[in-house]
């Protein structure tokens, strides 16, 4: 499934494409995020001698937003093909998002105190205006740097979308408290992002198996499943079926994460024992 194992697919494509293997293609974000964080560290180190202040944060944010705007312009409505330009654009856009997150944390979060009703009364009409202004063409795809709405629309959608989710999370946190399940989700979003496609595939594979051994899954398209890795069986086109895929994707991701943690822990114990034996 996907590309074969080679020097190109293992060491080159993760930087310039990231979709070479189907089941782990959500990991395309790792390389540009790494480079964005490295650039951020270097810029912070270069400006360390400047006293920390709101003006400094505004200047850094403005720089990051300009770099992100370059990425949006480079991608445009059609997006980019695999290659260095795609890696550069992904990295610059991530850098803009990192800058916005940092600025919110150090300058805006302490002022984010509007009551929920008033907050959404302002935010939701604003989002509707943005959608109408973009003629409904407001969504963008970072993986291929496809930004049909242009610079202003892309930033407006990003900022208001994150503002919406931030307040929703704040409201839900009071209801869930320190739930172990919620903490498992919150603390392992990286693993969930990386491995959820495997969960989707296992669900669909289960349906494929049942379709071949029982008469109850007659609408399952086996030929499409075997030829298109992204095929998802949705009986009667019921969209709520997506919940099954999402739930299994999350559970499989968490299982992989905890098994990997146990394996690393066991490996560390073995190495420590070998080291102790050698020293004695």
């Amino acid at each position: 499934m996907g590309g074969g194992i080679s020097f190109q697919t293992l060491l080159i494509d993760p930087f310039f494409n990231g979709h070479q293997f189907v089941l782990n293609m959500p990991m395309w974000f790792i390389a540009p995020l790494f480079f964005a964080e490295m650039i951020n560290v270097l810029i912070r180190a270069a400006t360390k001698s400047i006293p920390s202040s709101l003006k400094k944060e505004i200047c850094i944010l403005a720089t990051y937003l300009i770099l992100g705007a370059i990425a949006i312009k480079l991608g445009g409505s059609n997006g980019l093909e695999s290659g260095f330009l795609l890696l550069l654009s992904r990295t610059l856009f991530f850098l803009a998002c990192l800058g916005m997150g940092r600025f919110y944390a150090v300058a805006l979060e302490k002022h984010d105190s509007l009551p929920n009703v008033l907050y959404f009364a302002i935010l939701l009409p604003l989002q509707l205006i943005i959608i109408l202004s973009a003629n409904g063409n407001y969504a963008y795809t970072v993986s291929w740097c496809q930004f049909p709405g242009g610079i202003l629309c892309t930033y407006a959608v990003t900022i208001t979308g994150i503002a919406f989710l931030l307040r929703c999370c704040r409201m839900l946190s009071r209801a869930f408290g320190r739930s172990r399940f919620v903490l498992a989700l919150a603390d392992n979003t990286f693993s969930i992002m990386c491995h959820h496609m495997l969960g989707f595939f296992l669900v669909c594979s289960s349906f494929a198996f049942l379709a071949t051994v029982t008469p109850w899954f007659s609408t399952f398209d086996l030929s499409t499943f075997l030829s298109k890795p992204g095929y998802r069986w949705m009986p009667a086109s019921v969209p709520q079926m997506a919940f099954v895929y999402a739930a299994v994707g999350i559970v499989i991701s968490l299982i992989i994460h905890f098994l990997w943690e146990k394996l690393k822990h066991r490996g560390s114990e073995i190495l420590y024992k070998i080291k102790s034996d050698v020293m004695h």
Side-chain angles (χ1 to χ4, degrees):
M1 186 180 294
I5 302 296
S6 68
F7 179 85
Q8 176 75 26
T9 57
L10 288 175
L11 298 177
I12 304 299
D13 288 344
F15 293 95
F16 300 137
N17 183 309
H19 291 71
Q20 72 279 18
F21 304 123
V22 174
L23 293 183
N24 75 333
M25 65 181 180
M27 298 185 193
W28 67 265
F29 73 93
I30 295 176
L33 182 59
F34 170 78
F35 287 119
E37 290 179 337
M38 287 297 295
I39 293 171
N40 181 56
V41 168
L42 292 173
I43 290 177
R44 291 283 171 184
T47 59
K48 189 176 181 180
S49 59
I50 302 174
S52 181
S53 66
L54 181 59
K55 288 183 179 179
K56 175 183 175 181
E57 293 298 331
I58 291 175
C59 289
I60 293 177
L61 173 64
T63 302
Y64 288 179
L65 290 177
I66 291 170
L67 294 175
I70 293 173
I72 295 170
K73 202 68 177 175
L74 286 172
S77 299
N78 298 322
L80 297 168
E81 298 292 332
S82 301
F84 175 76
L85 196 58
L86 178 63
L87 174 63
L88 176 65
S89 298
R90 287 171 171 175
T91 300
L92 294 181
F93 187 76
F94 279 1
L95 193 62
C97 293
L98 280 172
M100 286 188 280
R102 165 75 178 180
F103 188 77
Y104 174 82
V106 300
L108 299 180
E109 188 171 17
K110 58 189 174 187
H111 303 296
D112 186 2
S113 57
L114 282 178
N116 293 332
V117 173
L118 180 58
Y119 186 92
F120 288 115
I122 296 172
L123 181 62
L124 296 181
L126 182 58
Q127 289 182 312
L128 183 58
I129 291 170
I130 295 168
I131 292 170
L132 292 173
S133 299
N135 296 317
N137 194 24
Y138 62 93
Y140 59 85
T141 306
V142 184
S143 56
W144 299 108
C145 291
Q146 191 173 16
F147 304 103
I151 296 170
L152 292 179
C153 179
T154 298
Y155 278 149
V157 167
T158 303
I159 292 168
T160 57
I162 292 174
F164 177 83
L165 290 174
L166 279 172
R167 184 52 64 100
C168 288
C169 289
R170 184 184 296 182
M171 294 167 64
L172 290 171
S173 66
R174 297 167 186 163
F176 288 113
R178 302 291 292 178
S179 163
R180 290 183 63 186
F181 175 71
V182 172
L183 288 175
L185 295 179
D187 293 340
N188 300 296
T189 52
F190 180 87
S191 295
I192 293 171
M193 179 65 182
C194 289
H195 302 300
H196 67 272
M197 285 285 290
L198 176 60
F200 296 171
F201 176 72
L202 292 177
V203 172
C204 221
S205 297
S206 299
F207 289 143
F209 173 75
L210 292 172
T212 59
V213 299
T214 73
W216 303 325
F217 298 84
S218 59
T219 60
F220 188 92
D221 192 336
L222 189 60
S223 62
T224 302
F225 169 71
L226 294 174
S227 60
K228 294 184 179 180
Y231 174 68
R232 303 283 179 264
W233 183 59
M234 307 288 276
S237 298
V238 175
Q240 288 80 1
M241 191 68 184
F243 175 79
V244 175
Y245 288 94
V248 175
I250 291 172
V251 170
I252 291 296
S253 299
L254 293 178
I255 290 174
I256 291 173
H257 173 80
F258 290 122
L259 287 176
W260 175 241
E261 288 297 317
K262 284 183 176 295
L263 181 62
K264 287 195 296 182
H265 181 69
R266 180 58 180 160
S268 297
E269 289 180 338
I270 293 172
L271 290 175
Y272 180 78
K273 186 176 185 304
I274 293 173
K275 182 181 178 181
S276 298
D277 292 343
V278 169
M279 291 180 66
H280 290 90

